[in-house]
């Protein structure tokens, strides 16, 4: 027992080192997104996230936008609890048959003008879950989408670049 304790105390942690992320780039992207949203909408961007059946990998990257490292709320990027307060729906995963109606109702509950962003490879066409009996396919087959952000999963930098492109190019 003592040997095991000693070994555990002396060995290096088993967790991997965090990926090298360019803090300045992330902060600049977030500021650009905030500036663009304020120009287009007159205020910061409100986002409602919808997990339509993902493995949660995409959610981990989306949640990272709010963690202490990225902390993007300081730039005005806000996640809201209700679609009625949202400008953007971020939808992840293949749409499962169980989530199909919930996604349609969430879309209808979001006021116009609204944008829908499908996040991750599964959101495009069902991805690795596409052949499952429980899967109704990609997001665009259920509700109209404005942008697809590819990746499995896309990291926070790619998510920010996608949102900037969306707000800049939409009228
Ligand atoms: S794209 Fe990858 S991380 Fe995202 S839901 Fe699909 S399998 Fe999971």
């Amino acid at each position: 027992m003592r040997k095991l304790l000693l070994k555990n105390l002396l060995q290096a942690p088993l967790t991997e080192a965090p990926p090298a992320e360019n803090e300045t780039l992330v902060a600049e992207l977030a500021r650009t997104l905030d500036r663009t949203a304020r120009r287009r909408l007159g205020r910061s961007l409100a986002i409602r996230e919808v997990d339509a059946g993902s493995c949660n990998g995409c959610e981990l990257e989306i949640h990272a936008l709010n963690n202490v490292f990225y902390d993007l709320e300081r730039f005005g990027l806000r996640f809201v609890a209700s679609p009625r307060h949202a400008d953007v729906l971020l939808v992840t995963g293949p749409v499962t048959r169980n989530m199909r109606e919930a996604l349609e109702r969430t879309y209808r509950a979001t006021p116009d003008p609204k944008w829908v962003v499908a996040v991750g490879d599964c959101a495009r066409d069902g991805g690795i879950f596409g052949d499952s009996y429980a899967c109704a396919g990609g997001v665009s087959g259920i509700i109209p989408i404005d942008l697809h952000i590819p990746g499995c999963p896309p990291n926070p930098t790619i998510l920010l670049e996608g949102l900037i492109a969306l707000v800049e190019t939409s009228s």
Side-chain angles (χ1 to χ4, degrees):
M1 182 66 176
R2 200 159 12 137
K3 226 164 120 184
L4 184 66
L5 270 174
L6 214 60
K7 182 179 154 227
N8 285 345
L9 281 173
L10 295 179
Q11 77 180 6
L14 292 175
T15 48
E16 291 175 15
E21 191 64 82
N22 186 337
E23 267 185 70
T24 323
L25 171 69
V26 171
E28 193 41 52
L29 286 172
R31 273 191 214 102
T32 307
L33 177 58
D34 189 39
R35 267 198 310 272
T36 317
R38 282 179 198 279
R39 205 173 56 237
R40 295 268 173 188
L41 302 166
R43 57 185 161 74
S44 57
L45 201 64
I47 300 171
R48 170 68 185 161
E49 203 272 335
V50 183
D51 176 351
S54 93
C55 75
N56 270 2
C58 287
E59 270 66 33
L60 289 175
E61 299 299 319
I62 292 171
H63 293 171
L65 293 171
N66 259 349
N67 71 18
V68 289
F69 182 80
Y70 293 100
D71 189 20
L72 293 189
E73 199 150 322
R74 69 196 146 131
F75 299 110
L77 187 81
R78 285 184 309 119
F79 284 87
V80 292
S82 164
R84 297 191 193 285
H85 303 152
D87 306 304
V88 173
L89 292 181
L90 270 191
V91 188
T92 63
V95 182
T96 60
R97 296 193 189 284
N98 284 346
M99 278 300 290
R100 181 186 186 132
E101 186 185 340
L103 179 61
E104 288 168 339
R105 289 171 66 173
T106 303
Y107 179 77
R108 286 197 298 272
T110 310
D112 290 321
K114 61 190 163 201
W115 295 300
V116 178
V117 181
V119 175
D121 291 347
C122 293
R124 182 181 50 225
D125 54 9
I128 56 172
F129 306 109
D131 293 333
S132 164
Y133 70 93
C135 179
V139 178
S140 63
I142 313 297
I143 57 173
I145 70 165
D146 300 284
L147 178 74
H148 172 244
I149 301 178
C152 182
N155 66 34
T157 310
I158 297 174
L159 289 170
L160 282 174
E161 286 170 343
L163 287 170
I164 290 169
L166 172 82
V167 179
E168 269 180 349
T169 54
S170 306
S171 54

